[in-house]
Amino acid sequence: MAKKLQSIRGIHDGLPVEVSKWRKIEDVARKVFATHAVSEVRLPILEPTELFVRSVGEETDIVSKEMYAFEDQGGDNICLRPEGTAGAVRAYLQAGLTRAGAQRWFYMGPMFRRERPQKGRLRQFQQIGVEWFAVNGPVGDAEMLGMAQGFLDELGIEKVRLEINSLGCAACRPAYRETLVAYLHARAESLCATCNDRIEKNPMRVLDCKNESCQAQLTDAPEMVAHVCGDCETHFSGLKSGLDALGVRYEVNPRIVRGLDYYNRTAFEFVTDQLGAQGTVLAGGRYDGLVESLGGPATTAVGFAAGMERLAMLMPDDDKQGVDVVVVALGDGALPYSLQVASQLRATGIAVLHAGGGAAKKQFKFADREGALFVAVLGDNEVQQGVVALKNLATGEQQVCAIEQVASLLRVVKV
RNA sequence: GUGGACGUAGCUCAAUUGGUAGAGCCCCGGCUUGUGAUGCCGGUGGUUGUGGGUUCAAGUCCCAUCGUCCACCCCA
C-alpha cells in the first residue's frame, strides 16, 4: 500500500495556533505556581517499565495495555512514561531528598498512552503536573486546591466545578472494600457486564458507572466517606474547612475514584461538561504510601495533573497579532534604506516583516494578510528625509515620523 | 480492545436509479508600476484515503486496509 507519510495515530502536531495556547497555559502555570514556591523539574520521558508496574499498578489499564513499552538494544525494559507522578517519586528518591524537607515540584511535558483516540484523548498528550512531597495534613491539600483553582481562574476557565472525596487509607479502606464487594455481589445480576468485571478489579469504580440502570441499583450503596477511620475523617473535614476558608467552591462527590492504585485519602477532580465524555480537566489527590512502596521512607505526598490539550480546548482562540509593522519599499532605490529601517525597528523590540519590495499593491496586500498593525512606507521621499511614512492599517491614517517614534506610536495603538 | 459515523482540489462541500468529477474560499497573474480588507478578468490545482472485487461503465455497489471523528472501556 502506498502509505502517506503522516504522524502516528492519536499523536498530533503542535502547530502555531495550538502552541500559542500551550505557551499561555505554561506561562500562567509558572506564574501561579511560583506564588506557592513550587519549582520546575524536568524529568525523563523514558523510564524503566518496572517503575510504573510497581507504582501505578500492574492491573490498571494504563500499565496492562496502554504503555508503549519495549526492550532496547541492550535488553533493558523501558517505556514511554504514561503519567508523571511515578517518575517524580523516582527522581525524588534518586536525588536523596527524603531528608531535605518539603519538596514542591511541577513539570510539564508529554505523556503516552496507547488508547483509542477521541475528543480530549490522545496517545501523546501533555500534562502539567504538581507534586508536593513531605507536605502533610489537610492544609497542604487545601492549599494545593487553592493553587489549582487560581491556575484555572487565571486562564479564564470558568465552567468547571471541583469535586472532592476521601478514598480512605490502609487502615480503613480494606474493611470498606469488603463490605462494598459484598453489597455488589448481592446484586451483581442487575449490574452491567463491565460493572461485574469491576467488582473484583476496582469495586469503587462501580459506584461511578455511567449506566443509569446500574445507578438505579446503587442508590443505597455504602460509600467510603461514611466508612473512613477517625484520622481520615479528621483529614477530610480539615480539607473542607480549609477550602471554605480559601473560598474555593467544591462539592463532595462520594463516588469519584482515582484510577491509579497509589492514591489515598483526598481525591479531587475539576470537571466540565464542555469536553464530551472527557470531563476531567485537572485531577489528583494524596498518595502517602507511594514513596515508601518505591523503596523510600514513609513520606506524605499530594499532587495533581492537568491535561494541557483539554485546558486549551476550554480557552478561546486568540486572534493572532504577531506583526507590528510591515516595511514596504517603493522602488529599488529605497530597498537598502527599507532594510535598515526594518532592522532598526526590530532593535526596539517590535515585530517587523519586510514586504520584499515590488509593486506597492502587492506589498500592501501582504501587510494586510499578515495582520500587521502598521505599514512603514518607504520611497524616495522618505529615503531623502530619513523618515518613515507610517500608515495605520485599521484606520487608514498615515503620518510621517522619525524611526525612533514608531515604537511609541505602536504602543498607543496596542493598548 | 468494542461499537457507530465519515474519508472527493490546500480548506468547506456538491455530483440524479452506477453514465464525461464541479462550486465557493484560498493561492498565482493581470486591471498602465506611491497605498491594503470588500471590485473585475484570467490561471494553477484531484489516479475521488489506499488496495482489491462486481459491471460495458464505480466518487456512487461489495470486501479489505489505513485514517479522522464520536461513544464504550479507561483516563489528564
Side-chain angles (χ1 to χ4, degrees):
Chain A
M1 194 182 78
K3 254 198 291 195
K4 264 185 252 172
L5 205 50
Q6 57 185 353
S7 69
I8 295 165
R9 178 176 211 183
I11 299 186
H12 294 181
D13 299 308
L15 297 176
V17 278
E18 286 87 32
V19 173
S20 72
K21 283 189 187 177
W22 295 349
R23 287 185 55 132
K24 181 176 179 187
I25 294 168
E26 290 164 0
D27 290 346
V28 169
R30 289 197 169 93
K31 181 179 151 201
V32 173
F33 297 168
T35 66
H36 285 256
V38 181
S39 307
E40 181 168 359
V41 290
R42 303 199 180 183
L43 303 172
I45 289 167
L46 288 171
E47 291 277 7
T49 305
E50 179 71 10
L51 172 64
F52 300 102
V53 174
R54 282 176 54 188
S55 58
V56 176
E58 195 160 9
E59 298 301 314
T60 60
D61 282 9
I62 288 177
V63 169
S64 65
K65 54 188 194 191
E66 294 174 3
M67 279 211 294
Y68 285 98
F70 54 94
E71 195 174 285
D72 73 4
Q73 293 88 331
D76 293 327
N77 290 313
I78 63 178
C79 67
L80 267 45
R81 62 182 183 189
E83 60 100 44
T85 300
V89 172
R90 197 223 80 238
Y92 170 75
L93 288 173
Q94 189 169 330
L97 295 168
T98 55
R99 289 167 174 264
Q103 301 292 310
R104 290 171 298 272
W105 290 0
F106 79 94
Y107 51 83
M108 24 188 135
M111 307 293 167
F112 304 83
R113 293 179 200 171
R114 198 182 183 289
E115 300 182 275
R116 193 83 171 264
Q118 65 182 79
K119 188 181 183 72
R121 201 175 68 183
L122 299 166
R123 288 185 171 181
Q124 175 176 340
F125 59 102
Q126 300 177 87
Q127 280 189 340
I128 297 183
V130 175
E131 316 288 352
W132 290 355
F133 299 111
V135 171
N136 47 34
V139 169
D141 300 21
E143 285 224 287
M144 176 168 277
L145 283 168
M147 186 178 84
Q149 180 72 68
F151 170 57
L152 296 173
D153 288 346
E154 192 83 8
L155 285 174
I157 294 173
E158 289 169 344
K159 291 176 178 170
V160 292
R161 63 178 188 280
L162 169 62
E163 297 184 347
I164 62 171
N165 191 18
S166 177
L167 303 177
C169 65
C172 53
R173 188 155 50 178
Y176 163 71
R177 186 189 157 111
E178 272 185 41
T179 56
L180 175 62
V181 169
Y183 172 90
L184 294 175
H185 272 310
R187 58 209 72 206
E189 303 244 329
S190 41
L191 296 173
C192 69
T194 47
C195 274
N196 273 279
D197 287 342
R198 291 196 271 237
I199 291 175
E200 301 303 332
K201 276 178 65 181
N202 188 0
M204 290 173 76
R205 179 68 179 75
V206 176
L207 303 182
D208 203 28
C209 183
K210 286 176 185 167
N211 194 325
E212 293 195 8
S213 67
C214 287
Q215 285 299 331
Q217 296 297 317
L218 300 169
T219 49
D220 64 340
E223 290 170 340
M224 186 72 237
V225 280
H227 292 74
V228 292
C229 61
D231 287 348
C232 285
E233 174 60 38
T234 304
H235 189 98
F236 195 50
S237 58
L239 166 61
K240 286 185 283 190
S241 53
L243 291 174
D244 290 338
L246 288 169
V248 175
R249 298 176 61 183
Y250 64 91
E251 49 196 271
V252 175
N253 178 350
R255 306 204 161 182
I256 61 170
V257 197
R258 302 285 74 218
L260 282 47
D261 285 358
Y262 48 66
Y263 287 104
N264 70 317
R265 289 194 174 159
T266 308
F268 55 82
E269 291 183 1
F270 285 88
V271 295
T272 178
D273 55 9
Q274 313 276 99
L275 255 44
Q278 265 60 49
T280 305
V281 167
L282 185 155
R286 185 159 278 281
Y287 51 97
D288 292 334
L290 182 57
V291 173
E292 190 171 12
S293 79
L294 287 179
T299 305
T300 57
V302 59
F304 69 75
M308 186 112 80
E309 289 84 355
R310 290 185 186 178
L311 291 172
M313 282 192 283
L314 297 174
M315 292 167 57
D317 287 333
D318 51 3
D319 21 282
K320 79 151 192 179
Q321 198 177 59
V323 182
D324 297 320
V325 177
V326 163
V327 172
V328 166
L330 300 173
D332 289 347
L335 213 47
Y337 179 68
S338 68
L339 286 167
Q340 290 161 9
V341 169
S343 174
Q344 287 173 50
L345 291 176
R346 288 181 180 123
T348 68
I350 64 181
V352 180
L353 288 176
H354 193 292
K361 182 164 251 173
K362 182 181 174 185
Q363 296 188 73
F364 271 84
K365 281 189 172 176
F366 171 81
D368 189 50
R369 181 174 183 152
E370 289 290 340
L373 268 31
F374 286 98
V375 167
V377 190
L378 305 173
D380 293 341
N381 296 341
E382 288 75 19
V383 172
Q384 280 172 15
Q385 296 169 39
V387 295
V388 304
L390 194 66
K391 178 167 185 175
N392 182 324
L393 283 181
T395 66
E397 292 167 14
Q398 185 167 318
Q399 60 180 306
V400 174
C401 66
I403 298 169
E404 299 75 39
Q405 289 179 277
V406 173
S408 56
L409 287 168
L410 178 71
R411 218 167 292 130
V412 174
V413 172
K414 270 189 142 174
V415 173

